[in-house]
Amino acid sequence: MAETEVRVEAGAPRIARVEYGDPDALALIAQVQEEYVRRYGGPDRTPLDPAMFDPPVGSFFVAYADSTPLATGAWRRRDDVVAFGSAVTAEIKRMYVVPDARGRGLARAVLAHLESTAASSGAVVMVLETGVAQPEAIALYESSGYTAIEPFGHYRHSPLNRCYGKDLRCCSR
């Protein structure tokens, strides 16, 4: 199952690094794609290669309560995106919390874990794409120190796209 497991705090769900093709990861990816269909009318079509999430160039995580997968989040290196004066960036992908587990701080814990593991792997800046139909995600990122950056990525020309970044040198948790 997981190569690395980290407990966020005593009694809290554990966050485990898994392969992109892990059955729990694939199930949560399918759920987040369904969410995109509901919110945007179609799935996220960003081209992704599972190898993008293999250390040291990326990592994919699932958060569990006991053996139940509740959330997912991943990062991949993006040396082609410049933010805060650095091209040593990591992009957040596939952040998702199942509906029954929302509102418990799990997304914030996964986000902090992504920041920590990406920084430990050498990333200087975290970047991400989200969209206007995800106000909860925008609120999470803004309240976690992310600020708007120049559009990048697959949807950079979409009026629904919003891009954010955080300088990990000054704002690490």
Side-chain angles (χ1 to χ4, degrees):
M1 178 164 144
E3 290 181 19
T4 327
E5 293 185 3
V6 177
R7 288 207 182 270
V8 222
E9 59 185 61
R14 66 184 163 84
I15 300 174
R17 193 186 77 71
V18 300
E19 298 297 320
Y20 187 87
D22 178 90
D24 292 336
L26 292 176
L28 290 167
I29 290 168
Q31 289 178 42
V32 72
Q33 292 288 23
E34 290 171 10
E35 184 103 8
Y36 295 147
V37 169
R38 282 192 298 279
R39 292 183 186 228
Y40 296 101
D44 179 357
R45 298 196 188 284
T46 301
L48 295 179
D49 178 343
M52 294 173 174
F53 302 105
D54 290 341
V57 296
S59 284
F60 201 99
F61 300 94
V62 173
Y64 293 90
D66 297 319
S67 61
T68 304
L70 299 177
T72 188
W75 61 266
R76 62 179 178 159
R77 290 300 290 266
R78 286 295 300 257
D79 296 333
D80 61 329
V81 177
V82 177
F84 306 109
S86 179
V88 185
T89 59
E91 179 186 14
I92 295 171
K93 297 301 293 177
R94 300 300 183 248
M95 277 283 298
Y96 177 73
V97 177
V98 298
D100 290 346
R102 293 178 184 167
R104 300 183 203 164
L106 189 53
R108 195 169 301 279
V110 170
L111 181 60
H113 190 73
L114 295 176
E115 292 171 358
S116 173
T117 57
S120 293
S121 190
V124 173
V125 175
M126 291 296 282
V127 297
L128 63 96
E129 286 183 283
T130 190
V132 297
Q134 295 170 269
E136 311 92 331
I138 290 171
L140 168 70
Y141 297 129
E142 289 179 349
S143 70
S144 298
Y146 286 76
T147 57
I149 62 171
E150 288 295 314
F152 71 91
H154 188 72
Y155 293 101
R156 69 185 161 275
H157 299 297
S158 169
L160 302 178
N161 176 279
R162 297 296 179 268
C163 292
Y164 288 88
K166 182 175 181 179
D167 188 332
L168 299 176
R169 295 169 292 197
C170 70
C171 309
S172 60
R173 294 171 173 246

XYZ file of all heavy atoms in Angstrom, residues 21-92:
548
model
N -1.500 4.940 -9.440
C -2.412 3.875 -9.833
C -3.009 3.095 -8.680
O -3.727 2.115 -8.899
N -2.736 3.495 -7.438
C -3.304 2.828 -6.269
C -4.837 2.848 -6.370
O -5.421 3.863 -6.771
C -2.847 3.574 -5.005
C -3.426 2.978 -3.749
O -2.788 2.075 -3.187
O -4.516 3.430 -3.327
N -5.516 1.752 -6.033
C -6.981 1.709 -6.150
C -7.696 2.827 -5.376
O -8.681 3.385 -5.874
C -7.354 0.332 -5.598
C -6.120 -0.491 -5.780
C -4.962 0.453 -5.621
N -7.212 3.172 -4.180
C -7.847 4.257 -3.427
C -7.650 5.592 -4.139
O -8.562 6.417 -4.215
C -7.291 4.331 -2.007
C -7.690 3.135 -1.157
O -8.716 2.486 -1.464
O -6.978 2.852 -0.175
N -6.446 5.809 -4.669
C -6.176 7.035 -5.415
C -7.070 7.118 -6.647
O -7.688 8.159 -6.912
C -4.707 7.103 -5.813
N -7.175 6.031 -7.388
C -8.002 6.029 -8.601
C -9.473 6.283 -8.283
O -10.158 6.997 -9.024
C -7.828 4.713 -9.357
C -6.455 4.489 -9.973
C -6.366 3.105 -10.606
C -6.120 5.582 -10.987
N -9.963 5.731 -7.180
C -11.358 5.957 -6.789
C -11.600 7.430 -6.455
O -12.614 8.018 -6.855
C -11.731 5.067 -5.607
N -10.666 8.042 -5.726
C -10.817 9.456 -5.382
C -10.645 10.344 -6.609
O -11.341 11.364 -6.753
C -9.837 9.840 -4.278
C -10.156 9.240 -2.908
C -8.986 9.404 -1.952
C -11.419 9.843 -2.319
N -9.744 9.985 -7.519
C -9.591 10.741 -8.767
C -10.898 10.701 -9.559
O -11.337 11.716 -10.108
C -8.417 10.192 -9.606
C -7.092 10.514 -8.921
C -8.441 10.757 -11.026
C -5.903 9.765 -9.506
N -11.541 9.548 -9.614
C -12.827 9.440 -10.318
C -13.875 10.350 -9.665
O -14.658 11.005 -10.356
C -13.307 7.990 -10.328
N -13.864 10.414 -8.340
C -14.823 11.277 -7.641
C -14.556 12.754 -7.908
O -15.494 13.528 -8.120
C -14.783 11.006 -6.135
C -15.381 9.672 -5.754
C -15.291 9.422 -4.254
O -15.531 10.310 -3.448
N -14.936 8.200 -3.891
N -13.294 13.149 -7.916
C -13.001 14.560 -8.189
C -13.357 14.897 -9.636
O -13.861 15.990 -9.918
C -11.549 14.950 -7.846
C -10.534 14.393 -8.812
C -11.403 16.468 -7.759
N -13.160 13.968 -10.550
C -13.561 14.219 -11.942
C -15.083 14.387 -12.056
O -15.565 15.246 -12.808
C -13.055 13.103 -12.866
C -11.555 13.080 -13.031
C -11.011 14.223 -13.886
O -11.612 15.275 -14.045
N -9.832 14.008 -14.445
N -15.834 13.577 -11.293
C -17.295 13.746 -11.267
C -17.670 15.121 -10.726
O -18.619 15.751 -11.192
C -17.937 12.650 -10.413
C -17.873 11.279 -11.037
C -18.311 10.167 -10.082
O -18.841 10.472 -8.990
O -18.109 8.990 -10.440
N -16.934 15.585 -9.728
C -17.161 16.922 -9.163
C -16.925 17.994 -10.227
O -17.692 18.946 -10.350
C -16.243 17.137 -7.964
C -16.462 18.430 -7.252
C -17.228 18.290 -5.963
O -17.494 17.167 -5.501
O -17.571 19.339 -5.412
N -15.860 17.838 -11.027
C -15.595 18.799 -12.098
C -16.712 18.785 -13.132
O -17.096 19.838 -13.648
C -14.261 18.500 -12.788
C -13.041 18.652 -11.913
C -11.932 17.830 -12.104
C -12.969 19.598 -10.896
C -10.796 17.954 -11.325
C -11.836 19.721 -10.108
C -10.757 18.900 -10.321
O -9.629 19.018 -9.553
N -17.241 17.622 -13.430
C -18.344 17.529 -14.387
C -19.554 18.299 -13.852
O -20.187 19.065 -14.584
C -18.696 16.054 -14.685
C -19.995 15.947 -15.461
C -17.549 15.381 -15.451
N -19.855 18.112 -12.561
C -20.994 18.836 -11.968
C -20.769 20.346 -11.971
O -21.683 21.111 -12.249
C -21.242 18.377 -10.529
C -21.963 17.054 -10.411
C -22.443 16.773 -8.987
N -21.365 16.674 -8.018
C -20.614 15.593 -7.822
N -20.830 14.516 -8.542
N -19.669 15.580 -6.915
N -19.546 20.764 -11.650
C -19.282 22.197 -11.499
C -18.960 22.913 -12.811
O -19.283 24.086 -12.960
C -18.148 22.417 -10.509
C -18.550 22.045 -9.089
C -17.437 22.328 -8.118
N -17.759 21.840 -6.791
C -17.617 22.558 -5.681
N -17.179 23.790 -5.749
N -17.910 22.039 -4.518
N -18.295 22.212 -13.739
C -17.824 22.863 -14.961
C -18.408 22.274 -16.247
O -18.144 22.787 -17.324
C -16.292 22.794 -15.049
C -15.605 23.541 -13.946
C -15.074 22.861 -12.850
C -15.479 24.927 -13.980
C -14.431 23.542 -11.825
C -14.846 25.612 -12.961
C -14.335 24.916 -11.885
O -13.704 25.602 -10.871
N -19.118 21.167 -16.141
C -19.699 20.555 -17.326
C -18.795 19.541 -18.012
O -19.159 18.988 -19.045
N -17.623 19.280 -17.450
C -16.708 18.300 -18.034
C -15.569 18.017 -17.080
O -15.333 18.767 -16.126
N -14.844 16.925 -17.313
C -13.714 16.566 -16.436
C -12.510 17.467 -16.691
O -12.461 18.188 -17.689
C -13.411 15.124 -16.835
C -13.806 15.062 -18.276
C -15.019 15.963 -18.401
N -11.548 17.403 -15.811
C -10.268 18.084 -16.005
C -9.512 17.314 -17.078
O -9.252 16.125 -16.938
C -9.481 18.098 -14.688
C -8.127 18.775 -14.813
O -7.738 19.189 -15.924
O -7.438 18.872 -13.788
N -9.163 17.987 -18.142
C -8.467 17.346 -19.260
C -6.975 17.677 -19.297
O -6.314 17.471 -20.310
C -9.136 17.737 -20.576
C -10.588 17.267 -20.632
C -11.119 17.297 -22.040
N -12.539 17.045 -22.092
C -13.119 15.857 -21.958
N -12.374 14.798 -21.734
N -14.426 15.727 -22.033
N -6.445 18.170 -18.174
C -5.016 18.444 -18.110
C -4.246 17.151 -18.372
O -4.495 16.145 -17.703
C -4.631 18.985 -16.718
O -5.370 20.173 -16.464
C -3.144 19.264 -16.628
N -3.327 17.150 -19.334
C -2.546 15.934 -19.587
C -1.666 15.599 -18.373
O -0.918 16.442 -17.893
C -1.676 16.300 -20.791
C -2.269 17.547 -21.365
C -2.995 18.238 -20.256
N -1.805 14.391 -17.874
C -1.006 13.932 -16.735
C -0.420 12.572 -17.042
O -1.108 11.696 -17.568
C -1.871 13.815 -15.474
C -2.463 15.092 -14.897
C -3.307 14.768 -13.669
C -1.385 16.091 -14.542
N 0.835 12.405 -16.692
C 1.511 11.125 -16.786
C 1.718 10.651 -15.346
O 2.244 11.416 -14.528
C 2.848 11.325 -17.487
C 3.685 10.064 -17.597
O 3.408 9.080 -16.865
O 4.631 10.066 -18.396
N 1.298 9.437 -14.997
C 1.491 8.961 -13.625
C 2.915 9.121 -13.105
O 3.125 9.343 -11.918
C 1.083 7.493 -13.698
C 0.084 7.450 -14.810
C 0.595 8.451 -15.819
N 3.917 9.063 -13.991
C 5.311 9.209 -13.566
C 5.598 10.605 -13.011
O 6.565 10.794 -12.278
C 6.252 8.902 -14.725
N 4.734 11.579 -13.323
C 4.903 12.931 -12.782
C 4.777 12.955 -11.255
O 5.196 13.913 -10.624
C 3.835 13.875 -13.362
C 3.944 14.131 -14.816
S 2.492 15.084 -15.362
C 2.936 15.406 -17.055
N 4.193 11.907 -10.705
C 3.942 11.858 -9.269
C 4.850 10.867 -8.543
O 4.584 10.498 -7.409
C 2.463 11.543 -9.014
C 1.554 12.554 -9.643
C 0.856 12.256 -10.797
C 1.425 13.823 -9.105
C 0.034 13.202 -11.396
C 0.616 14.778 -9.697
C -0.085 14.462 -10.843
N 5.920 10.465 -9.220
C 6.914 9.590 -8.597
C 8.029 10.436 -7.997
O 8.531 11.339 -8.662
C 7.519 8.628 -9.631
C 6.541 7.579 -10.110
O 5.525 7.340 -9.424
O 6.799 6.992 -11.179
N 8.419 10.160 -6.747
C 9.537 10.887 -6.154
C 10.792 10.696 -7.002
O 10.952 9.645 -7.619
C 9.707 10.226 -4.782
C 8.350 9.665 -4.478
C 7.802 9.227 -5.819
N 11.629 11.669 -7.091
C 11.615 12.931 -6.344
C 10.912 14.065 -7.070
O 10.880 15.185 -6.577
C 13.106 13.260 -6.198
C 13.701 12.751 -7.486
C 12.911 11.497 -7.814
N 10.310 13.797 -8.238
C 9.684 14.872 -9.023
C 8.211 15.086 -8.684
O 7.565 15.959 -9.241
C 9.847 14.635 -10.540
C 11.311 14.667 -10.924
C 9.180 13.343 -10.976
N 7.683 14.306 -7.771
C 6.290 14.465 -7.367
C 5.924 13.439 -6.320
O 6.717 12.553 -6.002
N 4.742 13.587 -5.800
C 4.204 12.612 -4.838
C 2.692 12.696 -4.832
O 2.115 13.774 -5.021
C 4.722 12.873 -3.413
O 6.048 12.439 -3.279
N 2.076 11.560 -4.600
C 0.616 11.457 -4.551
C 0.238 10.915 -3.171
O 0.851 9.959 -2.702
C 0.115 10.495 -5.635
C -1.321 10.709 -5.981
C -1.670 11.443 -7.099
C -2.334 10.213 -5.176
C -3.004 11.663 -7.414
C -3.657 10.430 -5.488
C -3.992 11.154 -6.607
N -0.750 11.533 -2.527
C -1.120 11.163 -1.170
C -2.620 10.908 -1.046
O -3.426 11.540 -1.724
C -0.748 12.287 -0.185
C 0.713 12.591 -0.165
C 1.236 13.601 -0.960
C 1.586 11.855 0.631
C 2.597 13.880 -0.959
C 2.940 12.122 0.640
C 3.448 13.143 -0.162
N -2.953 9.999 -0.142
C -4.343 9.749 0.245
C -4.414 9.872 1.755
O -3.540 9.373 2.471
C -4.817 8.343 -0.212
C -6.204 8.024 0.350
C -4.825 8.251 -1.742
N -5.451 10.549 2.234
C -5.691 10.672 3.673
C -6.757 9.651 4.056
O -7.772 9.511 3.365
C -6.158 12.079 4.020
N -6.481 8.955 5.147
C -7.361 7.879 5.607
C -7.826 8.123 7.038
O -7.076 8.642 7.860
C -6.602 6.544 5.630
C -6.187 6.017 4.287
C -4.960 6.359 3.743
C -7.009 5.154 3.584
C -4.560 5.855 2.514
C -6.621 4.645 2.356
C -5.393 5.000 1.827
O -5.003 4.497 0.609
N -9.040 7.686 7.331
C -9.506 7.493 8.701
C -9.676 5.987 8.809
O -10.483 5.399 8.087
C -10.828 8.203 8.949
N -8.878 5.366 9.666
C -8.775 3.907 9.693
C -8.389 3.452 8.288
O -7.381 3.887 7.781
C -10.066 3.270 10.215
C -10.351 3.683 11.657
O -9.387 3.734 12.452
O -11.512 3.977 11.968
N -9.211 2.643 7.639
C -8.858 2.201 6.286
C -9.712 2.889 5.216
O -9.652 2.521 4.052
C -9.026 0.685 6.183
O -10.368 0.338 6.427
N -10.479 3.900 5.608
C -11.363 4.589 4.668
C -10.654 5.786 4.031
O -10.235 6.703 4.744
C -12.630 5.083 5.394
O -13.256 3.970 6.036
C -13.595 5.743 4.430
N -10.528 5.792 2.702
C -9.907 6.942 2.037
C -10.860 8.139 2.046
O -12.017 8.023 1.641
C -9.652 6.448 0.618
C -10.608 5.332 0.407
C -10.895 4.739 1.757
N -10.374 9.282 2.546
C -11.214 10.469 2.687
C -10.806 11.629 1.792
O -11.629 12.491 1.486
C -11.185 10.965 4.142
C -11.690 10.025 5.215
C -11.516 10.668 6.580
C -13.143 9.662 4.954
N -9.530 11.680 1.433
C -9.047 12.843 0.682
C -7.819 12.463 -0.118
O -7.158 11.464 0.169
C -8.715 13.980 1.639
N -7.532 13.289 -1.091
C -6.355 13.098 -1.911
C -5.716 14.444 -2.220
O -6.377 15.484 -2.175
C -6.701 12.357 -3.218
O -5.511 12.032 -3.900
C -7.587 13.164 -4.112
N -4.456 14.393 -2.522
C -3.716 15.576 -2.946
C -2.371 15.124 -3.480
O -1.834 14.113 -3.030
N -1.872 15.863 -4.448
C -0.607 15.487 -5.067
C 0.142 16.745 -5.464
O -0.435 17.831 -5.527
C -0.866 14.619 -6.296
N 1.425 16.572 -5.725
C 2.210 17.651 -6.316
C 3.167 17.059 -7.335
O 3.521 15.896 -7.261
C 2.957 18.471 -5.256
C 3.950 17.724 -4.434
C 3.743 17.148 -3.215
C 5.327 17.456 -4.757
N 4.889 16.548 -2.764
C 5.883 16.727 -3.681
C 6.147 17.772 -5.845
C 7.220 16.303 -3.686
C 7.476 17.341 -5.843
C 7.990 16.631 -4.755
N 3.520 17.908 -8.302
C 4.494 17.532 -9.324
C 5.364 18.745 -9.606
O 4.912 19.887 -9.498
C 3.805 17.064 -10.603
C 2.958 18.151 -11.255
C 2.321 17.675 -12.524
N 1.465 18.713 -13.119
C 1.119 18.738 -14.386
N 1.535 17.796 -15.203
N 0.349 19.702 -14.855
N 6.630 18.512 -9.941
C 7.540 19.616 -10.246
C 7.094 20.308 -11.521
O 6.651 19.664 -12.474
C 8.971 19.110 -10.404
C 9.611 18.650 -9.118
C 9.700 19.726 -8.045
N 10.643 20.772 -8.327
C 11.898 20.782 -7.898
N 12.356 19.791 -7.162
N 12.683 21.780 -8.218
N 7.206 21.629 -11.531
C 6.866 22.449 -12.697
C 7.937 23.499 -12.874
O 7.771 24.646 -12.492
C 5.503 23.124 -12.506
C 4.301 22.250 -12.644
C 4.140 21.698 -14.039
N 3.987 22.696 -15.061
C 2.827 23.022 -15.631
N 1.718 22.414 -15.264
N 2.786 23.945 -16.561
N 9.072 23.137 -13.430
C 10.165 24.080 -13.622
C 9.881 25.079 -14.740
O 10.680 25.973 -14.989
C 11.470 23.326 -13.888
C 11.880 22.477 -12.691
O 11.509 22.827 -11.551
O 12.553 21.456 -12.898
N 8.723 24.941 -15.411
C 8.349 25.864 -16.482
C 7.406 26.961 -15.989
O 6.989 27.801 -16.778
C 7.706 25.097 -17.641
C 6.427 24.377 -17.229
O 6.308 23.962 -16.055
O 5.533 24.218 -18.081
N 7.070 26.990 -14.710
C 6.193 28.016 -14.155
C 7.031 28.878 -13.213
O 7.642 28.362 -12.284
C 5.004 27.393 -13.382
C 4.148 28.483 -12.748
C 4.172 26.508 -14.301
N 7.052 30.178 -13.466
C 7.807 31.105 -12.630
C 6.827 31.890 -11.761
O 5.853 32.461 -12.256
C 8.652 32.071 -13.491
C 9.370 33.086 -12.604
C 9.645 31.297 -14.342
N 7.098 31.884 -10.455
C 6.299 32.664 -9.504
C 7.214 33.107 -8.371
O 8.100 32.353 -7.958
C 5.137 31.826 -8.966
N 7.013 34.305 -7.898
C 7.813 34.858 -6.807
C 9.311 34.800 -7.130
O 10.132 34.542 -6.259
C 7.505 34.158 -5.482
C 6.043 34.160 -5.144
C 5.307 32.989 -5.216
C 5.402 35.329 -4.791
C 3.953 32.979 -4.931
C 4.040 35.332 -4.507
C 3.313 34.166 -4.578
N 9.643 34.983 -8.412
C 11.033 35.020 -8.829
C 11.720 33.674 -8.921
O 12.934 33.614 -9.064
N 10.966 32.597 -8.851
C 11.581 31.267 -8.901
C 10.865 30.356 -9.892
O 9.639 30.384 -10.003
C 11.536 30.612 -7.515
O 12.115 29.318 -7.582
N 11.661 29.527 -10.574
C 11.110 28.487 -11.441
C 11.247 27.116 -10.786
O 11.004 26.092 -11.415
C 11.811 28.491 -12.793
N 11.604 27.087 -9.510
C 11.705 25.829 -8.767
C 10.358 25.635 -8.069
O 10.204 25.854 -6.870
C 12.881 25.852 -7.767
C 13.040 24.490 -7.108
C 14.171 26.259 -8.462
N 9.374 25.272 -8.894
C 8.002 25.209 -8.404
C 7.472 23.779 -8.376
O 7.933 22.905 -9.103
C 7.069 26.066 -9.291
O 7.133 25.591 -10.631
C 7.471 27.532 -9.271
N 6.475 23.588 -7.524
C 5.716 22.338 -7.471
C 4.255 22.717 -7.623
O 3.776 23.681 -6.999
C 5.948 21.617 -6.145
N 3.551 21.979 -8.463
C 2.136 22.248 -8.723
C 1.263 21.264 -7.970
O 1.480 20.054 -8.033
C 1.844 22.147 -10.219
C 0.390 22.403 -10.546
C 0.045 22.159 -12.008
O 0.857 21.532 -12.739
O -1.048 22.584 -12.422
N 0.267 21.783 -7.290
C -0.719 20.954 -6.594
C -1.716 20.423 -7.616
O -2.215 21.166 -8.456
C -1.454 21.766 -5.508
C -0.468 22.180 -4.419
C -2.628 20.976 -4.942
C -1.038 23.165 -3.419
